[in-house]
């Protein structure tokens, strides 16, 4: 279980999170929604810090190494599971055993043909999927994802989110699209100006709360 | 920026009166004529006779650069640690010729001397540059690494791939520098090209001089065609196998030098005179020994080195500002631009030591040949870089049509900051060169170091070399402070 | 990989073993250095034939390099100048001077001057050279620096730097002659043997440059050998070597030095050189 009790976070002079209390049970799929600057990313980071060992994170800027292949970037997700020497060996010559583990994940994301392409040479959407593949390859029970489908076209976005929510037990992700959030999360947290505006099961989210969330300042 | 520039120009102007600029040869034009004839009719048979020196030049450079890349990479990991930073600043503050002069008595005339002389200062340079490249690189992928992955794995997966291209580029550029260094090591007696160049110069055999130089240019120009990343390790292995045939290292000489010969004379005096070779210490006599060196030679050498450096700094600046339009697309196009570019490449490929030697033959010993040689060499490098920078600027739509107006009112103001950054970056390099040219008979620190070595007083030589290194580190720091204050910076990998 | 490393060690070992059987020698580069290897190669061949061992000549660029090579046991035998010989023998215990050229017993240095100075030959030291530009030979040379500096200091009681308008070090005697002849320097100090040989070869234009003074005589060049050669090459090797040198009569060989012939020498003959060097501070006391 992840829990924050009355937590505030500030960067320099600005308060990014104000007095947040949140409990997340194992197995929940939670979506954070709200306008830009609401503190969604900060909240994700703060929660991630609690569970770092057993969680993976999909960054908004992907945080990939553009000079390496998709395979190596995905492999990085389990760098801590292998001996250093094996890691180096695998860097020089991708090991068959690892390729076999990475391939199905990439396949499910429609990325199998890019396995040995340099990440820097891929499109934004492909890079984002590579970042997701890395988080999935980590094979942990909790995943945090910051706008994981921002560069993926709406049609594929659904597929990708379905994949994430099925493969991982607990998923907490932020999204711009309310529709996708309602579709793939069972619990929706609406954030505004560093505070939690509402925290509801997805079937109780209505137009009224949403208009409160997105109304102009 | 203007204030700083004017300050430096006026310092140089005042020092110019203290500098000795006399042309002492009675008939410099006659010698120049003979040089010109040599340049037109090179004697390539002479090159065949020195083919071994060619091989040695390449081999020393390869071994030296390999060792320094290795050592430099290791030290770069600890560069945040102040003692390492100081150590690196020190070893690169001493010119490779001085290192050769130190290693000559230690390892003798064998390939190791040349390899070490290149490897030691280059290690300091690589450590610094590699560390800076790493600092400037994109660190964002590191946050995505699993929290307990080993630092080594993190480095190889997250850092090295990002900086590899820069490192490769810079190391290749340094290989070219190492070849130049290797060539001039011959001037102090190692069996590289400089050995034969010196002989040929000394005896006025200019056809031989130019044949050797032309082949040297060809060697450097052809580097990119035969140095490929995948095969370079083969060259390194071959180079090490080649030198291993002649290498001999006596530990005894090593310890004798570092634990005995470089001790100040008063500490060894009694032992030498009574034949026991014992060491004794009295702070008074050592203090007097040091004071005496400073008063009779040290201060004079430092003064002359500073005079030469400051004059050359401004001279290089002026030369840069004159030549960069010749290679800049906003002023020149087509064949003239290409020709000036090749000319600059040839000038900067010629080691400044050889340029200085040539001018010395023409004009006799004074500061003039040194000023012209260092100014030309550095001016060619900076002119090329500033020209490249100027090429990048987008001219305003209403840019002046006349070239002179365009130069002064558009291009110069826009590249001036970068130009100053480059110039101050090379300040320390110029000082190192000014010191070393003393070996050719100008009374800078190099002259006194060479004299001490010639008198077989290694204690004094090492003392003076330490002073040179200290002066160099002071200038390096001053340059950093000035660059920071003027808020000008330059990407280090391009300014060498 | 292991094989490769051990191979490398084998090569290094083998080469050092091979070197142990070779006598290496060097000579100070006191004159034109071009084709030195050719000239001294013949001397090496001569020694090899008589001594029945491998003899190798190692070229050096400076006087100090020859001294250092001797110190480091890279050469076991060297043709030194008076000063470099003293420096070398002081650094290597047991080493001894075994031969010198016949002329080296009464060596002299010439002061030479460019015609434009108007200086004439005199028997007394020419004090009028003060204020002129002056070049020595190599910094480590006896005839090109030590002795002339000694007499200059004696006459003026001042260091050369404060006597002359400009002081240079040409590097070798041939260059000194060339520099004074071309007027780059007005006055210079030169080894009399090199001067006379170049005069004979017609390289000197006496309308441009002339001898104005010669120093009193002193002892100069010498063959010096390390003290441990007997251990290395067999008992009595030093004596055999000395014999080989003083029985060298082939004129083409002797011309490399250039000397009429070699005669026996010993360390004590060079005591005055040591004293002079200490006197002007080249060797510390």
């Amino acid at each position: 279980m992840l829990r924050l009790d009355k937590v505030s976070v500030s960067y320099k002079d600005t308060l990014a999170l104000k007095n947040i209390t949140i409990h997340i049970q194992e197995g929940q799929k939670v979506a954070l929604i709200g306008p830009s600057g609401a503190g969604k990313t900060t909240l994700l980071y703060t929660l991630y810090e609690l569970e770092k060992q057993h969680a993976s994170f999909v960054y908004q800027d992907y945080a990939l190494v553009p000079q390496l292949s998709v395979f190596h970037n995905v492999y990085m997700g389990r760098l801590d599971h292998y001996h250093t020497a094996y890691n180096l060996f695998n860097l020089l010559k991708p090991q068959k055993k690892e390729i076999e583990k990475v391939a199905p994940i990439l396949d499910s994301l429609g990325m199998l043909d890019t396995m040995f392409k340099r990440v820097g040479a891929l499109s934004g959407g492909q890079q984002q999927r590579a970042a997701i593949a890395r988080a999935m390859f980590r094979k942990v029970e909790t995943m945090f994802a910051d706008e994981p489908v921002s560069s993926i076209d709406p049609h594929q976005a659904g597929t990708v989110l379905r994949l994430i929510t099925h493969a991982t037990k607990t998923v907490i992700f932020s999204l711009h699209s309310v529709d996708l959030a309602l579709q793939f999360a069972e619990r929706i947290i609406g954030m505004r100006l560093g505070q939690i505006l509402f925290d509801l099961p997805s079937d109780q989210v209505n137009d009224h709360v949403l208009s409160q969330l997105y109304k102009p300042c | 920026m203007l204030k700083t520039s004017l300050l430096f120009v006026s310092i140089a102007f005042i020092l110019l009166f203290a500098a000795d600029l006399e042309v002492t040869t009675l008939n410099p034009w006659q010698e120049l004529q003979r040089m010109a004839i040599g340049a037109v009719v090179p004697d390539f048979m002479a090159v065949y006779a020195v083919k071994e020196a060619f091989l040695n030049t390449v081999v020393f450079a390869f071994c030296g650069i390999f060792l320094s890349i290795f050592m430099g990479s290791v030290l770069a990991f600890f560069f945040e640690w102040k003692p390492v930073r100081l150590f690196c600043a020190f070893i690169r503050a001493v010119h490779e010729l001085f290192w050769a002069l130190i290693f000559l008595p230690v390892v003798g005339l064998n390939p190791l001397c040349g390899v070490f002389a290149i490897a030691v200062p280059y290690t300091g340079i690589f450590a610094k540059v590699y560390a800076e490249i790493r600092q400037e690189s994109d660190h964002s992928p590191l946050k995505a690494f699993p929290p307990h992955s080993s630092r080594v794995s993190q480095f190889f997966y997250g850092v090295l791939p990002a900086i590899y291209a820069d490192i490769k580029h810079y190391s290749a550029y340094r290989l070219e520098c190492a070849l130049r260094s290797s060539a001039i090591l011959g001037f102090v007696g190692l069996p590289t090209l400089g050995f034969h160049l010196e002989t040929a110069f000394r005896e006025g055999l200019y056809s031989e001089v130019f044949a050797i130089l032309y082949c040297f240019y060809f060697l450097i120009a052809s580097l990119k065609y035969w140095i490929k990343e995948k095969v370079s390790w083969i060259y390194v292995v071959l180079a090490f196998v080649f030198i291993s045939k002649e290498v001999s290292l006596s530990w005894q000489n090593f310890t004798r030098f570092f634990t005995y010969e470089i001790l100040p004379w008063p500490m060894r005096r009694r032992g030498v005179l009574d034949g026991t070779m014992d060491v004794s210490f009295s702070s008074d006599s050592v203090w007097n020994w040091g004071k005496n060196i400073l008063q009779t030679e040290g201060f004079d050498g430092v003064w002359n080195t500073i005079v030469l450096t400051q004059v050359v700094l401004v001279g290089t600046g002026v030369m840069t500002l004159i030549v960069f339009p010749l290679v800049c697309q906003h002023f020149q196009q087509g064949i003239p631009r290409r020709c000036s570019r090749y000319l600059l490449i040839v000038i900067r490929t010629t080691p400044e030591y050889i340029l200085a030697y040539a001018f010395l033959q023409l004009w006799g010993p004074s500061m003039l040949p040194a000023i012209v040689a260092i100014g030309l060499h550095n001016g060619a490098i900076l002119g090329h870089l500033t020209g490249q920078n100027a090429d990048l600027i987008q001219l305003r739509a209403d840019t002046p049509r006349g070239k002179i107006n365009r130069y002064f009112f558009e291009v110069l103001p826009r590249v001036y900051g970068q130009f100053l950054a480059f110039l101050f970056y090379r300040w320390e390099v110029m000082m190192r060169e000014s010191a070393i040219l003393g070996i050719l008979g100008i009374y800078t620190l190099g002259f006194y170091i060479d004299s001490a070595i010639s008198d077989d007083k290694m204690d004094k030589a090492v003392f003076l070399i330490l002073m040179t290194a200290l002066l160099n580190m002071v200038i390096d720091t001053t340059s950093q402070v000035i660059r920071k204050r003027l808020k000008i910076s330059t990407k280090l990998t391009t300014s060498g | 990989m292991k094989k490769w490393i051990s191979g490398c060690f084998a090569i290094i070992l083998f080469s050092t073993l091979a070197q142990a059987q070779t006598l290496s020698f060097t000579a100070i580069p006191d004159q034109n250095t071009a084709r030195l290897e050719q000239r001294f190669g013949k001397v090496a061949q001569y020694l090899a034939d008589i001594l029945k061992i491998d003899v190798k000549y190692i070229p050096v660029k400076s006087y100090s390099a020859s001294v250092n090579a001797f110190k480091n046991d890279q050469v076991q035998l060297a043709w030194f100048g008076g000063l470099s010989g003293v420096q070398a023998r002081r650094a290597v215990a047991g080493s001894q001077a075994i031969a010198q050229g016949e002329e080296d017993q009464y060596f002299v240095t010439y002061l030479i001057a460019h015609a434009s100075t108007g200086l004439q030959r005199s028997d007394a030291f020419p004090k009028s050279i003060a204020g002129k530009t002056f070049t020595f030979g190599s910094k480590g040379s006896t005839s090109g620096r030590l002795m002339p500096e000694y007499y200059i200091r004696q006459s003026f009681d001042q260091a050369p730097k404060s006597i002359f308008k400009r002081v240079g070090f040409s590097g070798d005697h041939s260059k000194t002659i060339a520099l004074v002849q071309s007027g780059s320097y007005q006055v210079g100090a030169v080894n009399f043997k090199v001067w006379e040989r170049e005069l004979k070869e017609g390289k000197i234009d006496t309308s441009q440059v002339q001898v104005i003074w010669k120093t009193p005589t002193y002892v100069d060049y010498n063959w010096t050998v390390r003290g441990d050669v007997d251990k290395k090459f067999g008992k009595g090797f030093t004596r055999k070597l000395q014999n080989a040198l003083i029985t060298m009569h082939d004129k083409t060989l002797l011309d490399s030095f250039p000397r009429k012939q070699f005669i026996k020498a010993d360390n004590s003959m060079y005591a005055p050189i040591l004293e002079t060097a200490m006197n002007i501070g080249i060797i510390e006391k």
Side-chain angles (χ1 to χ4, degrees):
Chain A
M1 182 157 114
L2 294 163
R3 54 189 300 167
L4 291 178
D5 286 303
K6 295 185 179 163
V7 169
S8 297
V9 174
S10 56
Y11 291 121
K12 287 177 191 160
D13 296 334
T14 47
L15 213 54
L17 292 182
K18 290 175 204 158
N19 215 9
I20 300 273
T21 299
I22 185 174
H23 298 183
I24 295 170
Q25 262 76 37
E26 231 172 80
Q28 276 191 329
K29 320 283 189 241
V30 184
L32 304 180
I33 58 171
S36 313
K40 304 188 294 283
T41 302
T42 314
L43 181 56
L44 283 173
Y45 282 161
T46 314
L47 287 166
Y48 177 54
E49 284 300 322
L50 299 174
E51 257 312 82
K52 230 176 168 174
Q53 307 301 339
H54 313 288
S56 57
F57 202 109
V58 179
Y59 290 88
Q60 210 171 359
D61 63 355
Y62 321 144
L64 296 165
V65 181
Q67 293 84 1
L68 292 183
S69 69
V70 173
F71 167 78
H72 283 121
N73 271 285
V74 173
Y75 176 83
M76 272 174 225
R78 283 175 82 76
L79 220 46
D80 52 342
H81 281 253
Y82 299 106
H83 194 269
T84 302
Y86 183 78
N87 287 337
L88 297 191
F89 202 50
N90 188 51
L91 185 64
L92 290 176
K93 188 182 180 319
Q95 296 299 294
K96 210 171 156 215
K97 219 168 73 189
E98 305 307 321
I99 294 174
E100 277 166 7
K101 283 186 216 161
V102 170
I105 296 175
L106 287 178
D107 192 23
S108 64
L109 286 160
M111 294 268 292
L112 195 58
D113 53 331
T114 59
M115 175 132 73
F116 293 106
K117 282 200 180 134
R118 254 172 18 94
V119 162
L122 303 180
S123 72
Q126 287 172 314
Q127 292 192 11
Q128 190 157 42
R129 277 180 282 159
I132 292 168
R134 178 174 61 191
M136 288 170 71
F137 184 65
R138 194 152 160 65
K139 297 203 172 84
V140 283
E141 304 218 308
T142 312
M143 183 193 287
F144 296 90
D146 195 4
E147 302 283 0
V149 290
S150 59
S151 304
I152 299 172
D153 62 80
H155 178 70
Q156 279 188 337
T159 328
V160 170
L161 285 175
R162 184 170 306 120
L163 207 69
I164 295 176
T165 46
H166 277 86
T168 316
K169 206 167 170 192
T170 313
V171 182
I172 300 122
F173 51 90
S174 66
L175 278 180
H176 262 301
S177 155
V178 178
D179 290 342
L180 286 174
L182 293 174
Q183 198 180 337
F184 290 100
E186 60 206 49
R187 177 175 166 191
I188 311 286
I189 295 176
M191 289 191 72
R192 186 182 164 82
L193 301 172
Q195 285 173 311
I196 292 177
L197 200 67
F198 62 81
D199 183 350
L200 297 167
S202 46
D203 47 10
Q204 287 175 29
V205 175
N206 53 31
D207 287 349
H208 173 69
V209 290
L210 286 176
S211 65
Q212 285 295 311
L213 186 64
Y214 288 107
K215 79 174 178 204
C217 293
Chain B
M1 249 185 285
L2 189 65
K3 245 191 205 162
T4 316
S5 311
L6 284 177
L7 177 69
F8 273 88
V9 170
S10 34
I11 291 175
F13 192 73
I14 294 166
L15 291 181
L16 210 50
F17 288 100
D20 162 23
L21 299 173
E22 203 179 344
V23 174
T24 53
T25 45
L26 290 186
N27 201 344
W29 298 116
Q30 192 187 344
E31 200 70 12
L32 185 68
Q33 214 172 10
R34 294 183 49 214
M35 268 188 204
I37 294 172
V40 179
V41 278
D43 170 16
F44 285 104
M45 283 312 287
V47 176
Y48 185 73
V50 303
K51 56 188 184 302
E52 261 173 58
F54 249 100
L55 192 62
N56 282 331
T57 306
V58 176
V59 164
F60 292 3
F62 263 97
C63 294
I65 209 93
F66 173 78
L67 286 179
S68 53
I69 285 177
F70 179 75
M71 296 298 297
S73 314
V74 172
L75 287 174
F77 282 106
F78 306 100
F79 208 71
E80 263 92 82
W81 202 37
K82 196 153 193 181
V84 171
R85 234 176 17 245
L86 276 176
F87 174 73
C88 290
F90 171 71
I91 58 177
R92 70 169 186 272
V94 178
H95 194 279
E96 49 269 26
L97 272 180
F98 285 144
W99 280 117
L101 289 175
I102 291 178
F103 284 125
L104 259 173
V106 184
V107 297
L109 269 175
N110 88 48
L112 275 190
C113 174
V115 173
F116 286 165
I118 295 172
V120 171
Y122 279 51
T123 295
I125 294 170
F126 277 130
K128 177 184 175 203
V129 174
Y130 287 175
E132 279 178 20
I133 290 178
R134 196 175 141 200
Q135 262 169 24
E136 286 167 16
S137 71
D138 178 17
H139 291 294
S140 69
L142 286 179
K143 66 186 176 198
F145 279 64
H148 283 289
S149 35
S150 75
R151 293 186 63 154
V152 177
S153 300
Q154 285 196 26
F155 175 78
F156 279 98
Y157 275 80
V159 181
L160 188 63
I163 61 177
Y164 189 70
D166 275 347
I167 296 232
K168 201 172 82 178
H169 179 83
Y170 186 76
S171 308
Y173 159 75
R174 273 286 152 194
L175 175 64
E176 193 189 314
C177 301
L179 279 167
R180 273 200 295 262
S181 303
S182 181
I184 63 161
L185 287 180
F187 279 79
V188 297
L190 287 157
T192 63
L193 283 180
F195 192 97
H196 302 282
L197 272 176
E198 208 256 3
T199 308
F201 258 125
R202 179 171 283 275
E203 283 157 37
L205 308 168
Y206 295 117
S207 295
E208 280 184 30
V209 168
F210 280 97
I212 295 176
L213 278 181
Y214 289 154
C215 290
F216 184 65
Y217 297 144
F218 176 77
L219 174 74
I220 296 228
S222 71
L223 274 183
K224 57 173 178 266
Y225 300 108
W226 54 281
I227 303 284
K228 301 274 188 231
E229 195 189 344
K230 290 240 166 66
V231 291
S232 55
W233 66 271
I234 299 179
Y235 296 128
V236 171
V237 170
L238 283 179
F240 274 99
V241 169
F242 180 79
I243 65 162
S244 69
K245 279 191 304 187
E246 291 174 62
V247 162
S248 58
L249 189 62
S250 148
W251 197 245
Q252 205 187 337
N253 287 335
F254 214 75
T255 39
R256 187 196 67 209
F257 183 84
F258 283 107
T259 62
Y260 185 73
E261 277 191 13
I262 63 170
L263 295 180
W265 167 250
M267 294 172 68
R268 290 178 291 134
R269 183 172 180 274
R270 232 181 40 214
V272 170
L273 294 186
D274 62 19
T276 56
M277 302 286 160
D278 282 341
V279 173
S280 56
F281 182 77
S282 110
S283 55
D284 248 19
S285 54
V286 172
W287 172 254
N288 283 331
W289 169 83
K291 207 171 78 180
N292 187 37
I293 293 179
L294 285 181
Q295 281 170 348
T296 54
E297 311 187 341
F299 289 139
D300 190 45
V302 169
W303 167 249
N304 284 318
T305 308
I306 290 177
V307 168
L308 180 55
T309 308
Q310 292 315 107
V311 172
V312 152
L313 180 72
V314 173
T316 302
V318 172
M319 154 117 181
T320 307
L321 294 181
I322 292 173
V323 298
F324 93 79
L326 300 178
V327 293
C328 168
Q329 60 169 352
H330 302 312
F331 299 96
Q332 285 270 23
Q333 263 101 27
I335 293 171
R337 179 164 168 240
R338 188 166 292 180
C339 288
S340 0
R341 219 175 55 214
Y342 287 141
L343 185 66
L344 289 193
I345 290 175
V346 166
I347 295 177
R348 77 161 198 247
T349 309
T350 315
E352 60 282 2
Y353 198 82
I354 293 176
L355 279 178
Y357 200 101
F359 291 130
L360 213 65
Q361 303 293 306
L362 288 181
W363 302 325
S366 70
M367 277 196 189
L368 187 66
I371 292 172
V372 176
I374 306 179
L376 267 180
H377 179 77
N378 287 293
I381 294 176
L382 296 187
H384 171 76
L385 288 171
T386 311
Q388 266 182 346
N389 252 319
D391 275 348
L392 294 179
I393 59 178
Q394 203 83 39
L395 291 182
R396 285 186 327 237
D398 61 342
T399 188
R401 300 198 65 123
K403 279 186 181 170
I404 290 180
N405 279 335
R406 186 186 299 168
Y407 180 79
F408 282 106
F409 294 102
E410 165 119 41
V411 177
L412 186 58
R414 291 177 70 179
V415 296
Y416 198 72
Q418 271 288 313
F419 154 76
L420 271 192
F422 284 143
L423 189 62
F424 279 122
Y425 187 81
R426 282 197 82 83
W427 190 9
E428 160 249 355
V429 179
M430 291 178 212
M431 190 249 125
R432 230 174 352 192
E433 287 164 1
S434 302
I436 204 75
L437 289 183
I439 296 180
L440 297 179
I442 305 148
Y443 285 83
T444 60
L445 280 160
F447 175 84
Y448 295 107
I449 293 168
D450 182 58
S451 300
I453 286 170
S454 169
D455 295 351
D456 204 24
K457 292 174 187 159
M458 292 314 295
D459 49 349
K460 189 163 147 190
V462 168
F463 181 76
L464 289 170
I465 287 176
L466 285 178
M467 261 180 73
T468 314
L470 209 65
L471 181 62
N472 196 273
M473 287 157 83
V474 168
I475 285 191
D476 196 16
T477 316
T478 317
S479 152
Q480 275 171 29
V481 170
I482 291 178
R483 277 180 290 161
K484 205 178 259 175
R485 188 167 293 174
L486 294 179
K487 296 199 177 64
I488 48 179
S489 70
T490 159
K491 205 175 168 208
L492 186 111
T493 44
T494 52
S495 49
Chain C
M1 189 69 185
K2 257 187 194 162
K3 252 188 198 164
W4 186 81
I5 291 174
S6 51
C8 271
F9 274 111
I11 292 172
I12 294 171
L13 263 178
F14 184 73
S15 56
T16 43
L17 280 178
Q19 269 174 356
Q21 297 307 314
T22 309
L23 173 76
S24 302
F25 78 99
T26 190
I28 49 169
D30 61 338
Q31 47 188 321
N32 278 354
T33 46
R35 280 157 295 270
L36 262 182
E37 275 171 82
Q38 222 176 321
R39 271 169 23 210
F40 280 104
K42 284 187 209 149
V43 177
Q45 193 55 49
Y46 166 83
L47 289 175
D49 288 348
I50 291 194
L51 300 169
K52 307 271 184 300
I53 50 166
D54 283 343
V55 180
K56 197 170 120 197
Y57 162 72
I58 296 179
V60 292
K61 201 90 219 174
S62 65
Y63 285 51
S64 59
S66 64
V67 174
N68 276 316
F70 190 79
K71 266 203 242 175
N72 288 344
D73 199 16
Q74 265 198 314
V75 298
Q76 293 76 42
L77 173 71
W79 172 242
F80 282 129
L83 175 59
S84 39
V86 167
Q87 285 172 332
R89 288 192 296 273
R90 211 165 126 98
V92 180
S95 53
Q96 38 181 318
I98 51 170
Q100 60 177 199
E102 195 188 304
E103 299 91 327
D104 291 307
Q105 305 169 84
Y106 38 83
F107 218 79
V108 294
T109 294
Y110 287 160
L111 290 191
I112 56 174
H114 190 258
S116 65
T117 57
L119 292 166
Q120 292 299 320
R121 190 173 189 133
S122 66
D123 288 334
F125 184 85
K127 281 213 158 196
S128 45
I129 59 175
K132 302 273 187 293
T133 60
F134 186 94
T135 185
F136 290 108
S138 162
K139 286 173 185 168
S141 165
T142 311
S143 50
R145 186 211 173 170
L146 176 69
M147 296 319 283
E149 180 167 344
Y150 174 74
Y151 286 110
I152 288 166
R153 279 175 187 262
Q154 211 184 33
S155 305
F156 292 103
D157 205 20
Q158 264 180 320
K161 242 187 121 176
S162 35
I163 301 165
F164 298 111
K165 189 174 158 217
R166 181 190 296 281
V167 177
F169 292 90
S170 70
D172 67 50
H173 300 294
S174 312
K175 194 74 190 174
T176 304
I177 298 172
L179 286 176
V180 178
Q181 180 164 297
S182 73
S184 298
Y185 283 97
Q186 292 170 300
V187 187
V190 66
N191 173 324
F192 88 108
K193 285 299 293 181
V194 177
W195 170 271
E196 274 166 14
R197 195 182 62 169
E198 299 214 345
L199 196 64
K200 211 159 58 184
E201 289 171 357
K203 288 185 186 161
I204 297 172
D205 177 359
T206 44
S207 69
Q208 291 295 311
V209 55
Q210 280 213 320
V211 176
I212 55 166
W213 186 66
K214 69 180 197 190
T215 62
T217 61
Y218 53 87
V219 291
D220 204 343
Y221 290 70
N222 53 86
W223 281 104
T224 293
V225 69
R226 285 179 65 97
D228 50 11
V229 286
D230 280 6
K231 221 168 18 180
K232 216 167 180 175
F233 299 100
K235 235 177 159 185
F237 182 80
T238 309
R239 225 189 42 247
K240 273 200 283 181
L241 185 60
Q242 188 178 37
N243 265 326
L245 289 169
I246 58 182
T247 54
M248 187 192 290
H249 294 302
D250 186 343
K251 205 170 160 333
T252 52
L253 296 183
L254 288 167
D255 274 351
S256 307
F257 295 94
R259 294 293 182 269
K260 279 192 213 125
Q261 66 163 340
F262 291 116
I263 57 170
K264 281 186 186 177
D266 62 64
N267 290 1
S268 64
M269 291 176 174
Y270 293 88
I273 296 279
L274 175 63
E275 212 170 297
T276 313
M278 283 181 163
N279 201 312
I280 65 173
I282 294 180
I283 291 180
E284 271 166 311
K285 54 184 170 190

